[in-house]
Amino acid sequence: MKNKTPLYFGAVFLVLVAIFLATSMNPREKTKGAEPLFPGDRPDIDHIETISPTIGKIVIKRVSGVWQITEPLEYNVALKTMELTLNSLYNIVNDGVVSERAESHAQYELDDASGIAFKAYSGDELIVDVIVGKSSTDFNHTYVREADSDEVFLWRGMFSSVVKRSLNDWRDKGLYSYNPADVVEVTAESKGLKRTLSLPDSVWTFRDNGKEMPVDQQKVSAYINLIASLRCDAFADEKDIPRASQSSPDTKVTFKVRNGDTETFEIWSPGEQDAGRYLVRTEEGGEVFRFYRYRGEQLAINYEKLMPGESGD
């Protein structure tokens, strides 16, 4: 009979290696039980800050009831993003300590090179001051340490993804926020051509340089929904800005609402080298917004997307 001792010891060795890897990747907590970050009444958080080694400092405050970025620029924050951040913070449960060694900080992305400093205030009171690291391998926890401590905690949830946002990820991408039912007319002008959608009663009509043409009412409604609550796909970057500053827009779109408001935005359609990027800026100037081809080509009243008998895709 062959000697099975080497096989036995080999199997034991593999089991020990597996246990070592598992405990290294998901260290067992040293404290007992789980504790909510805010065990009593929820504080009224009105100011947060993040400092990233790569992105820098971002300051967000509630100003007159509106969440705004105040540093490094002034801009409204996306409401849903802010709600997600606050809900995640309020519902955090601390599942305990996994390490007390400063040497472990790099392993958990909690060192100066990779950790995200996060502060939350209620009025003038600093109530959260931590460094946020990576997510655990089970994607159910985030490694965190207090700013003045070596202890590494496991916070239940994906809080790392909440705070590791770029500046543009925080910004509100909305241009307009009207009720689509209040829009009564849209006009697009480009290269001497004028296309108009109007709602004289309950049916949308379309005119191309004065010539009336049939449209699918459902497709027009979808277009009006797009315009009334217009949101960009992204903010223009350094590749986009020269095109908007060095050339004139090829199309101007104006829409009217029942209360008398009139809004106008300008469009730069993409050339062959522009990767399908449409650029948009409101008539007042300022921020340049980016739309990708699918939504961008609809902005200027694309009749092929509105005519009866076509899919509109």
Side-chain angles (χ1 to χ4, degrees):
M1 180 179 293
K2 295 182 179 179
N3 188 352
K4 295 184 178 180
T5 301
L7 292 176
Y8 171 78
F9 283 112
V12 171
F13 175 76
L14 291 176
V15 171
L16 292 174
V17 169
I19 293 173
F20 171 77
L21 291 175
T23 55
S24 297
M25 296 172 69
N26 291 288
R28 298 177 64 182
E29 63 184 63
K30 295 182 180 180
T31 58
K32 296 181 180 180
E35 299 179 355
L37 184 62
F38 303 112
D41 294 335
R42 290 182 173 182
D44 181 23
I45 295 174
D46 57 10
H47 170 187
I48 67 172
E49 298 178 7
T50 65
I51 303 177
S52 163
T54 55
I55 298 172
K57 185 176 183 179
I58 300 174
V59 178
I60 298 173
K61 296 182 178 181
R62 192 173 64 217
V63 181
S64 299
V66 178
W67 284 99
Q68 295 181 326
I69 300 168
T70 60
E71 189 179 334
L73 51 75
E74 294 185 0
Y75 209 88
N76 283 351
V77 175
L79 182 57
K80 289 184 178 180
T81 299
M82 200 65 223
E83 288 176 348
L84 174 62
T85 302
L86 292 178
N87 286 336
S88 297
L89 187 58
Y90 284 136
N91 291 311
I92 282 174
V93 173
N94 188 342
D95 277 338
V97 177
V98 296
S99 175
E100 297 176 347
R101 299 179 300 107
E103 309 90 79
S104 70
H105 291 174
Q107 173 188 349
Y108 300 114
E109 297 182 6
L110 291 169
D111 57 344
D112 293 340
S114 52
I116 307 294
F118 177 83
K119 301 177 186 289
Y121 295 80
S122 180
D124 295 329
E125 181 183 1
L126 177 61
I127 58 175
V128 179
D129 188 8
V130 296
I131 308 300
V132 181
K134 67 179 182 179
S135 299
S136 61
T137 54
D138 62 6
F139 297 106
N140 291 322
H141 295 83
T142 297
Y143 295 105
V144 176
R145 68 177 175 88
E146 294 181 355
D148 58 354
S149 173
D150 289 336
E151 290 185 332
V152 177
F153 295 91
L154 272 179
W155 276 8
R156 195 178 301 173
M158 293 290 288
F159 193 66
S160 59
S161 63
V162 171
V163 300
K164 292 184 178 181
R165 301 182 189 275
S166 69
L167 179 62
N168 283 342
D169 288 336
W170 287 105
R171 297 169 74 186
D172 182 7
K173 292 183 171 64
L175 281 72
Y176 305 113
S177 182
Y178 287 99
N179 184 340
D182 291 333
V183 177
V184 295
E185 183 178 282
V186 185
T187 299
E189 299 179 80
S190 59
K191 299 178 181 179
L193 302 177
K194 184 176 181 179
R195 300 175 297 283
T196 303
L197 283 166
S198 58
L199 187 67
D201 42 54
S202 60
V203 177
W204 283 97
T205 62
F206 172 77
R207 286 180 171 81
D208 189 341
N209 272 4
K211 179 182 177 182
E212 187 168 335
M213 302 168 67
V215 287
D216 184 297
Q217 296 297 307
Q218 290 185 342
K219 295 174 185 176
V220 173
S221 293
Y223 171 73
I224 298 301
N225 288 339
L226 170 67
I227 297 298
S229 55
L230 191 59
R231 296 178 58 80
C232 70
D233 293 323
F235 294 92
D237 59 20
E238 64 277 2
K239 295 180 180 179
D240 302 318
I241 299 300
R243 180 153 58 105
S245 62
Q246 298 171 11
S247 62
S248 300
D250 55 80
T251 304
K252 179 181 292 188
V253 176
T254 300
F255 66 91
K256 300 178 181 179
V257 295
R258 296 183 192 279
N259 67 0
D261 287 352
T262 299
E263 302 286 0
T264 300
F265 60 89
E266 302 167 327
I267 303 173
W268 285 260
S269 298
E272 293 183 359
Q273 306 301 317
D274 297 321
R277 295 180 174 188
Y278 285 76
L279 303 182
V280 171
R281 185 173 59 195
T282 63
E283 192 175 40
E284 292 79 12
E287 192 70 45
V288 179
F289 305 92
R290 185 198 307 159
F291 290 78
Y292 295 110
R293 187 179 303 278
Y294 176 74
R295 296 175 71 233
E297 65 185 9
Q298 300 179 56
L299 296 176
I301 308 182
N302 186 336
Y303 182 67
E304 291 183 357
K305 300 286 185 179
L306 303 177
M307 61 191 299
E310 297 291 338
S311 65
D313 294 332

